[in-house]
Amino acid sequence: MDTTLDKAYTPKDTENEIYSFWEKNGYFSPNDKKEAHPFSVILPPPNANADLHVGHAMYVIEDIMIRYHRMLGDNTLWLPGADHAGFETQFVYEKHLAKIGKSRFDFDRETLYKDIWNFVHENRGTMENQLRKLGFSLDWSRNIFTLDPAIITTVHASFKQLFDEGLIYRDNRLVNYCTKDGTGFSDLEVLYVDRKDPLYYMKYGPFTIATSRPETKFRDTALAVNPKDKRYKEYIGKTLEIMGLLGPISMTVIPDPEVDPSFGTGIMKVTPAHDPHDFELGKKFNLPVTPIIDFKGRMDFSWFLSQKNIEPKYRERAEKYHGKKIAIVRPLMVEDLQSDGLLIKVDEAYAHRIGTCWKCGTVIEPLPLEQWYVKVAPLAKKALEAIDKKKVAFVPKRFEKTAKQWLSNFHDWNISRQNVWGIRIPAWKCVGCLSKQFSNSTIQQSSSWIITDGTPPTECPVCLGKNLVQDTDTFDTWFSSGQWSFATLRASGKDDYKNFYPTSVMETGYDILPWWVCRMLMLGIHMTGKVPFKTVYLHGLVRDSKGQKMSKSKGNVVNPLKMIDQFGADALRFALVFGTAAGNDLSLSEDKIRGMRNFANKLWNIGRLLLLSLENAKNSGRVIPFYSESLHATRLNDTDKRLISEINMLTSSVTKDMEKYRYSDAAKKLYDFSWHRLADQYIEENKVRFSEGDPEALSVFRHVFLTILKLLHPFMPFITEALWQKIPRLTTNPLIISSWPNQKSTV
RNA sequence: GCGCGCAUAGCUCAGUGGUAGAGCGCUUCGUUGACAUCGAAGAGGUCUAAGGUUCAAGUCCUUAUGCGCGCACCA
């Protein structure tokens, strides 16, 4: 064994070597000892085709938990995976297509899917190697992809079961639709932004109405007023002839207690096809759902133009508007409203919030579309009960309330996506039956669907027809992700589900609490009868040195790989934990990482001094005994004994912190003790003894330092392992699988 | 409107009712072998405000102010 060390620690030389040493020897896999307690964590699967960002580095908390429990001797599993990230990945792929002058519509479904598959798999290894660079002790032999057949099987089976139980249904209602990306979204994926837009006041029969969406007025089907509003009471129930841009329309005035009399003029126009509130109102009053905007975000006047005997003026207008985007039509309408004397005024800076596509920023259009919905309330109820019965604990505790709030307020969940890249929904329709039912041209009525476990059905159970068409939609990625905790363990082989479900801890960013954690709770409990995890630990967002959110456009993004390259993975890891409270956002600066690199170097040089001293002692024929209780009792002086007592106190205090998820505290104590107590005090005061080869001093120094290496290992796995392997000690185990210290332990 | 969080050193933030902390920055001094990615010494705080609980409050409770986040409404 080479016992000399370089003057400064160079992580680059050692990290890769140590990682492959660990991986090759299977240390990341569970020890499978029968008497061992199970401890399991499932890594939130990063997007398979994207590079890691510094937020992913926060999963270091999971590695700390895992390494700690592995050293405790627990049967420890940290399961890695990669996410196909349905819509998100397809979005990236479409950008890539655009660069080469193509679009997804140039390909048939199968080709497109295969092309995205290849695109993803070209990039997939990158993300995984980046996780390795971070030192994450993931069991790669169990690596799972969200599109692995075993996962798809589980997702299909759950869908069928939920459908059979009546917890999934098909409905035609207004969907949050992005006309640019061509897909609908769940409520959670709509990003609301504050904007200032014109509010148009226009003449509406005897009234004045205010609207920010004049383009929808062509398909208004009613007027609504607050029943308590005295100004309009007499109109309720009456049908009025109203002059519009395309001639007169007759409309009934209906009561709606939700109309705010103080907003605008207190009269609301009702457009069931393009406003969720109006849609519900329309259901109540039996109003027709008549769209004017199509799925590309264009005005569709075909319903009007197909009529006979239209006045030329109106035909001309409709033709002018037809097929154009909303933004183009609005000013045209304003002109026409003015020339018809219908425009009263325009409030140019009306402040409101508007739903946009979280990915591309396009304004979300509520459009009527048939989709699959999960009936959330019964599932949420079970999750709420589990929380109340303390079957799930939250760290920090305050997120329990947040989770409960979400679970109490979820609407039914639209899980259909008009994407190709994803798990296709195992639902088929019979063309024969369909043609018989198909009467209403604007709204497609629900008909009976054939749901299977994924196997294509051979014939229609109703008419025995063989012409069956599969739903072209795929699942919302979160529908499958919501089953990740049990789907993975069922897929990863052997007895993993039996041994490791429910998992010990679910650790992720608080920003996906509603998207992921709540859904895993709901689906996990419903599908398995058990909570999917016993503890939820949530970490905050990584921000820049000034506390600003990182973004590419601001140019303040910290690249974790660059930082690892520059300062080492241990330094980055320690910087992310040091001085960071669970659930709070944290500021990360290069300065902080550099500071932690300096700490790593400090450790390195403590090790270097120890090794040099041991080597000198050996060369002069001294035998350095290993620390033991009898050595302690018979030979140590007070100075040495005091240090031993302090390292024992540190050990129990750090252990307590580890148990209570107080990683920042543990890290600080270790930093402080190593640097300021051991190096600055003990070593400085006893330097002469070391150089003289004092056996007791060196024995104590070695014992204390090895103990520190153990305690620090979960945080800084590379340098601690590297030093550990250089230092003569009793056990032969590498540090990663050596035992967590207690007050009696020898090293 | 509802909910959550934050307010502590110049900056960024920890802080588990018991003598105010860290990282970075700053000042002064110090390089013959552990480390200048260092060492020694130091400056810098009415812990946002007001009230309350307590032997004891940065910490618990109430209220206020400012900032941030989420949700709902938004014709």
Side-chain angles (χ1 to χ4, degrees), chain A residues 138-376:
Chain A
L138 290 152
D139 185 356
W140 293 107
S141 70
R142 285 168 159 87
N143 197 12
I144 294 190
F145 183 44
T146 51
L147 293 181
D148 282 347
I151 300 293
I152 294 176
T153 302
T154 298
V155 173
H156 281 162
S158 304
F159 179 73
K160 181 162 172 30
Q161 187 188 321
L162 290 165
F163 177 81
D164 291 342
E165 292 169 336
L167 292 170
I168 279 182
Y169 62 93
R170 182 119 176 131
D171 195 18
N172 186 331
R173 62 173 75 158
L174 295 194
V175 169
N176 306 301
Y177 199 88
C178 175
T179 54
K180 189 172 175 215
D181 294 326
T183 183
F185 291 112
S186 70
D187 292 345
L188 289 182
E189 286 153 306
V190 180
L191 183 70
Y192 288 91
V193 292
D194 288 315
R195 271 196 7 188
K196 279 186 181 162
D197 287 306
L199 185 66
Y200 304 88
Y201 287 80
M202 52 183 90
K203 213 166 168 321
Y204 229 62
F207 312 120
T208 300
I209 55 134
T211 180
S212 62
R213 304 211 55 189
E215 65 276 4
T216 61
K217 79 179 233 104
F218 296 105
R219 307 245 68 182
D220 293 348
T221 54
L223 287 166
V225 297
N226 192 306
K228 287 184 183 156
D229 193 333
K230 284 180 191 147
R231 292 173 292 176
Y232 307 117
K233 211 159 193 169
E234 53 175 304
Y235 291 101
I236 291 176
K238 292 201 174 132
T239 300
L240 306 171
E241 185 97 324
I242 287 176
M243 200 56 183
L245 281 176
L246 299 179
I249 329 163
S250 48
M251 250 180 263
T252 306
V253 180
I254 57 176
D256 176 14
E258 286 179 46
V259 171
D260 175 4
S262 66
F263 183 93
T265 54
I267 300 179
M268 187 181 83
K269 65 193 203 62
V270 182
T271 321
H274 297 295
D275 182 282
H277 175 263
D278 294 1
F279 184 83
E280 291 306 316
L281 198 62
K283 265 191 188 166
K284 221 163 113 188
F285 289 92
N286 230 348
L287 302 172
V289 177
T290 49
I292 183 78
I293 299 161
D294 70 12
F295 287 91
K296 300 248 183 225
R298 299 199 185 101
M299 303 297 290
D300 181 0
F301 284 84
S302 45
W303 56 277
F304 183 78
L305 293 167
S306 64
Q307 292 170 20
K308 287 166 197 165
N309 307 324
I310 310 170
E311 271 187 44
K313 173 184 166 188
Y314 297 140
R315 172 174 293 279
E316 202 180 298
R317 267 185 193 166
E319 279 169 351
K320 180 171 69 178
Y321 302 148
H322 183 69
K324 292 201 170 76
K325 296 259 183 184
I326 295 163
I328 296 167
V329 169
R330 265 188 211 170
L332 301 178
M333 284 184 66
V334 169
E335 265 175 41
D336 292 338
L337 284 167
Q338 246 160 354
S339 68
D340 285 8
L342 294 173
L343 189 71
I344 292 164
K345 65 167 181 176
V346 181
D347 173 1
E348 287 292 342
Y350 166 59
H352 64 156
R353 294 183 78 206
I354 192 160
T356 62
C357 171
W358 66 284
K359 195 72 200 171
C360 76
T362 304
V363 172
I364 290 290
E365 287 296 339
L367 295 175
L369 189 63
E370 261 201 30
Q371 305 272 273
W372 293 105
Y373 288 87
V374 175
K375 202 188 256 182
V376 177

Side-chain angles (χ1 to χ4, degrees), chain A residues 478-542:
Chain A
W478 296 107
F479 180 70
S480 46
S481 304
Q483 302 171 53
W484 193 236
S485 43
F486 59 93
T488 47
L489 291 172
R490 282 178 178 161
S492 64
K494 294 172 235 169
D495 295 326
D496 282 359
Y497 180 78
K498 193 179 118 227
N499 293 336
F500 297 111
Y501 190 88
T503 60
S504 310
V505 180
M506 179 69 238
E507 197 284 331
T508 190
Y510 67 74
D511 51 329
I512 53 173
L513 177 67
W515 278 265
W516 200 39
V517 178
C518 288
R519 276 138 173 200
M520 279 195 293
L521 270 175
M522 293 192 292
L523 290 171
I525 293 169
H526 185 78
M527 299 308 298
T528 71
K530 290 180 191 166
V531 290
F533 28 74
K534 295 170 202 151
T535 297
V536 178
Y537 181 108
L538 295 168
H539 64 249
L541 258 58
V542 183

